[in-house]
Amino acid sequence: MNEPATPIELRTDAEAARSAAPRSAGATAPPVPPAASPGAAIVPPALSPGDTVAVVAPCGPPDPVRLKRGVGVLRDLGLKVVTGAHVLERDRYLAGSDAGRAADLQDAWCDPAVAAVLCARGGYGATRILDLLDWDAMRAAGPKILAGSSDVTALHLAFAAELGVVSWFGPMPACATISDPDGPEPLTFAHFTASLFGGAPAVTGDRVIAGGAAEAPVTGGNLSLLAALCGTPYQMDARGRIVLLEDVCEAPYRIDRMLTQLFQAGALDGAAGFALGSWVDCGDPYPVLEERLAPLGVPVIGGLPVGHGTPQFTLPMGALGVIDAESCSLTCSIRNREGAR
């Protein structure tokens, strides 16, 4: 870290509700062993002005100019900002060595002065550090916010599996929607700040592929990463969950291939519903998505501004979500033990 921080007190944890859902009809995946319905995830304390957040680069190297702008945007929110010691290093397409990226992430998470860990950007690299993290030490550090998207999908699934925490899938400080020269994209920034400071604003799409309603915890993320995690300890388990899917620069046949991999690995078995985010520069992926997902007999909504592109909204992964196909919306609920928002 490059700036001293004042310790803060962790506030009351919250619980995400649990909801079981029937096994999806018509799934093509092979059977998998039965599992208990998803348990409650720990909701980290929301941010407050004056809290310290750490910006780290566990994936690709951030642009220094964009990173500086993004840090300034966070400080304008009244937050203290520290950055990882290796955040500006570069090793080919990575933000420095695997060991350095892992150390920055772990140090930030284990620092009691830090209330949130924000990933500077995506880009390949997160999967390479999962085996380098001391999960026992991070578990002992207690819950806090993790935020990021794209390749950070690997961290969302690993943190859910190892730490049992809700994490935030959304924009990142060194990316366009936050760090453009003209300032953050207004809709993105309003949704992002509301999410980090304690809310969970609804996200509305623009198309219904399969009708109905579902209430279940949210999982998923970037399709390419979900496919890459198949066969690893962090493979997605969709049973009893709403699955977010999104990607960028993937042709429809590659989307089909990755969905097929997930089906054949059993990763999509028993999904309660699907929320389809952005598909920037993916041609028209919806014929493939409808062909593969509509027969499952669960609600599927699309066109949610989550993932890549503009605007880019924020979803709390692991929190209880409700798909309402009638309004084409996904609403997430974050409540403390007394049931207050």
Side-chain angles (χ1 to χ4, degrees), residues 54-63 65-74 117-124 126 146-156 168-180 183-185 188-189 192-193 196 222 246 248 306-309 311-314:
V55 177
V56 299
C59 308
D63 176 84
V65 175
R66 282 197 176 277
L67 180 62
K68 183 177 180 180
R69 284 198 208 108
V71 167
V73 167
L74 296 173
V117 180
L118 309 183
C119 299
R121 58 154 294 189
Y124 174 70
L146 171 76
S149 57
S150 195
D151 207 75
V152 182
T153 294
L155 297 181
H156 289 300
W168 275 255
F169 190 96
M172 297 171 282
C175 291
T177 50
I178 299 297
S179 63
D180 265 0
E185 195 281 318
T188 297
F189 193 56
F192 178 65
T193 54
L196 294 186
N222 181 265
E246 65 83 26
V248 61
V306 178
H308 295 79
Q312 184 183 2
F313 288 178
T314 304

Side-chain angles (χ1 to χ4, degrees), residues 3-5 22 56 100 109 136 139 148 164 180 198 212 218 230 252 270 276 284 320:
E3 183 175 301
V56 299
W109 190 266
D136 288 336
R139 198 173 297 115
D180 265 0
V218 179
C230 284
L276 306 178
D284 181 4
L320 183 70

Side-chain angles (χ1 to χ4, degrees), residues 19-338:
S19 175
R23 184 180 179 85
S24 304
T28 59
V32 293
S37 37
I42 302 168
V43 180
L47 290 181
S48 297
D51 280 349
T52 297
V53 301
V55 177
V56 299
C59 308
D63 176 84
V65 175
R66 282 197 176 277
L67 180 62
K68 183 177 180 180
R69 284 198 208 108
V71 167
V73 167
L74 296 173
R75 287 181 173 145
D76 287 344
L77 289 172
L79 299 168
K80 300 175 184 176
V81 184
V82 297
T83 55
H86 304 278
V87 72
L88 289 178
E89 292 184 5
R90 178 186 287 268
D91 179 5
R92 297 161 294 159
Y93 40 78
L94 302 167
S97 68
D98 293 346
R101 300 195 323 280
D104 278 1
L105 176 59
Q106 182 171 316
D107 289 348
W109 190 266
C110 293
D111 186 344
V114 171
V117 180
L118 309 183
C119 299
R121 58 154 294 189
Y124 174 70
T127 54
R128 291 178 54 135
I129 68 172
L130 298 180
D131 294 338
L132 301 180
L133 297 170
D134 184 341
W135 293 110
D136 288 336
M138 294 174 69
R139 198 173 297 115
K144 61 187 64 177
I145 290 170
L146 171 76
S149 57
S150 195
D151 207 75
V152 182
T153 294
L155 297 181
H156 289 300
L157 266 67
F159 275 53
E162 297 285 357
L163 308 180
V165 296
V166 170
S167 54
W168 275 255
F169 190 96
M172 297 171 282
C175 291
T177 50
I178 299 297
S179 63
D180 265 0
D182 294 334
E185 195 281 318
L187 294 177
T188 297
F189 193 56
H191 203 276
F192 178 65
T193 54
S195 298
L196 294 186
F197 284 87
V203 181
T204 301
D206 62 13
R207 68 189 70 201
V208 176
I209 293 172
E215 181 176 298
V218 179
T219 189
N222 181 265
L223 177 59
S224 297
L225 269 294
L226 298 178
L229 290 168
C230 284
T232 76
Y234 306 109
Q235 174 175 313
M236 179 179 65
D237 183 352
R239 287 172 289 186
R241 295 183 181 274
I242 291 169
V243 179
L244 167 70
L245 297 175
E246 65 83 26
D247 219 315
V248 61
C249 297
E250 296 289 354
Y253 81 90
R254 293 201 294 264
I255 292 170
D256 190 351
R257 183 185 64 206
M258 290 184 282
L259 287 172
T260 299
Q261 182 177 1
L262 292 174
F263 277 123
Q264 293 178 345
L268 295 178
D269 280 13
F274 291 86
L276 306 178
S278 60
W279 301 93
V280 175
D281 293 331
C282 291
D284 181 4
Y286 282 101
V288 166
L289 292 166
E290 181 172 358
E291 176 192 4
R292 304 311 305 273
L293 301 179
L296 299 182
V298 298
V300 183
I301 60 174
L304 280 69
V306 178
H308 295 79
T310 302
Q312 184 183 2
F313 288 178
T314 304
L315 282 181
M317 308 300 285
L320 183 70
V322 176
I323 287 179
D324 177 12
E326 185 173 348
S327 61
C328 196
S329 65
L330 173 61
T331 303
C332 293
S333 176
I334 299 178
R335 301 178 183 275
N336 62 28
R337 292 193 174 108
E338 290 71 40

